[in-house]
Amino acid sequence: MKLVRERAQYEWLKMNIFTHWVASSNQMSVLVFDADQPLTHKIVTSFSSLETEYRRDPFWPYTRLMDEVARLEDMTVMSIRNYVRAVEQQAPQEKPEPPYRFLHDISRHAVHVTETLDVAIETMDGMLSQHESVRTHVGNDDSWQTVHGRLLFSQQLLKGLRWRSNANEKRLQNEIQLAFHMVTQYDSGVSVAIGKAAKEDSAAMKTISTLTLTFLPPTFISSIFSMSFFKFDTDTGWAMSGNFWIYFAWALPTTLITSALWYYWQKQSDPGRSQSVEGRAQERQSLPR
């Protein structure tokens, strides 16, 4: 896999290898398929440059094949590392807006890279075990020692790359958690600011309510005595009309109707709250006494 650009575009490189060794004639046949042309050309070129004395060992092709696998794995691990490092070097923003989708996409690729390294290391373990079993069939022990040593080197190189890949995963998860905590901290700050503004608004509304309660009774008294039902004369004093009951006949029903409409509107606008209130009331009734 190779990551390119900032969108983490990638491509998977696949190669299947089949080998057949004829011990009597010391001939090796190698079949490479499902690999792209540049990779196939590189493998063939590496085979042609191998020393003749190593070819007495039937595992000699795998020394060059594992070199190429280790090269591709190293390139992939470093690609992931470059993305992680770029994320780590980003300057903090006043309003954090981390690209979570991008970070999780890179994390997914990092997991895939670790998976391929684990498979490669397990394959190397089986390959080395099989190479031990053919030691007596190789005519030249020096050739066997050289091939075995190169296979061990490739195995150790892959193990080192796996540790680096594991570190990439942990570093990336650390950045994802840091981004999440930074967003949470920023949202908490915004909530605190909103709470302060709401507290200031509440104080203002409290002042308005206090003024309203202060001037409401005098306003009500002034409204009552300013109606035509009352009359003041310097000779006779205060006089009240006998039809003053009309005021109560209209005021009381209007007040009741308005209160009923308001209660109905509140109940319809918040049905969940009324249901929860009814549910709590039923629970209290069902509790044993």
Side-chain angles (χ1 to χ4, degrees):
M1 188 194 70
K2 179 175 64 177
L3 299 177
V4 294
R5 298 182 183 178
E6 295 182 356
R7 291 186 174 272
Q9 299 177 0
Y10 61 94
E11 59 178 346
W12 287 98
L13 301 179
K14 180 182 179 182
M15 58 178 178
N16 294 318
I17 309 295
F18 174 79
T19 61
H20 178 67
W21 182 54
V22 181
S24 59
S25 59
N26 196 26
Q27 292 181 344
M28 174 67 70
S29 299
V30 181
L31 178 62
V32 181
F33 55 96
D34 288 340
D36 58 358
Q37 187 63 30
L39 182 59
T40 303
H41 178 72
K42 185 179 289 294
I43 293 174
V44 173
T45 303
S46 65
F47 285 169
S48 61
S49 62
L50 189 68
E51 293 80 356
T52 305
E53 60 182 14
Y54 296 155
R55 300 181 183 180
R56 298 177 182 178
D57 191 297
F59 280 76
W60 68 263
Y62 294 103
T63 60
R64 296 305 174 92
L65 289 174
M66 296 314 299
D67 286 345
E68 184 62 23
V69 170
R71 185 188 69 84
L72 294 175
E73 292 286 1
D74 178 69
M75 180 185 65
T76 304
V77 171
M78 292 306 297
S79 298
I80 296 291
R81 180 261 178 195
N82 292 337
Y83 276 95
V84 175
R85 185 57 180 162
V87 173
E88 291 174 341
Q89 290 180 334
Q90 290 181 354
Q93 301 176 353
E94 182 178 355
K95 181 181 180 181
E97 296 179 354
Y100 285 117
R101 180 68 264 178
F102 174 75
L103 293 176
H104 284 281
D105 194 29
I106 297 300
S107 179
R108 175 171 58 88
H109 292 307
V111 172
H112 289 166
V113 171
T114 303
E115 176 190 3
T116 58
L117 283 169
D118 288 337
V119 173
I121 292 172
E122 290 292 333
T123 304
M124 285 296 303
D125 292 340
M127 189 183 303
L128 288 168
S129 177
Q130 289 296 320
H131 191 234
E132 290 280 356
S133 65
V134 300
R135 183 171 187 174
T136 57
H137 300 284
V138 179
N140 192 330
D141 192 65
D142 291 338
S143 299
W144 184 92
Q145 289 284 356
T146 302
V147 172
H148 197 76
R150 296 193 62 171
L151 292 176
L152 284 173
F153 174 78
S154 297
Q155 182 192 43
Q156 293 300 321
L157 181 59
L158 291 174
K159 287 183 178 180
L161 291 174
R162 183 179 62 178
W163 284 112
R164 171 157 289 189
S165 182
N166 290 336
N168 287 338
E169 290 185 53
K170 293 179 180 179
R171 289 168 60 186
L172 191 57
Q173 290 299 321
N174 182 58
E175 289 299 318
I176 293 175
Q177 292 179 3
L178 175 62
F180 176 78
H181 291 316
M182 290 180 64
V183 172
T184 303
Q185 184 178 10
Y186 176 82
D187 292 341
S188 299
V190 172
S191 300
V192 170
I194 294 174
K196 291 181 179 178
K199 185 177 181 180
E200 294 176 357
D201 294 341
S202 177
M205 293 301 298
K206 184 178 181 180
T207 302
I208 295 174
S209 300
T210 302
L211 292 175
T212 302
L213 291 175
T214 302
F215 291 99
L216 184 59
T219 303
F220 173 74
I221 298 299
S222 299
S223 300
I224 289 292
F225 284 98
S226 65
M227 292 188 301
S228 59
F229 294 110
F230 295 91
K231 182 179 179 182
F232 178 77
D233 189 87
T234 55
D235 297 331
T236 60
W238 282 96
M240 183 179 67
S241 173
N243 295 325
F244 186 62
W245 61 271
I246 298 176
Y247 167 76
F248 295 101
W250 283 93
L252 291 177
T254 304
T255 303
L256 293 175
I257 292 173
T258 304
S259 301
L261 290 175
W262 175 84
Y263 176 77
Y264 177 77
W265 178 77
Q266 288 289 331
K267 188 176 181 180
Q268 291 298 320
S269 61
D270 193 5
R273 182 175 179 272
S274 61
Q275 292 178 0
S276 62
V277 172
E278 293 177 359
R280 288 195 297 268
Q282 293 178 359
E283 290 178 359
R284 286 196 297 267
Q285 293 177 359
S286 61
L287 292 176
R289 298 181 181 178

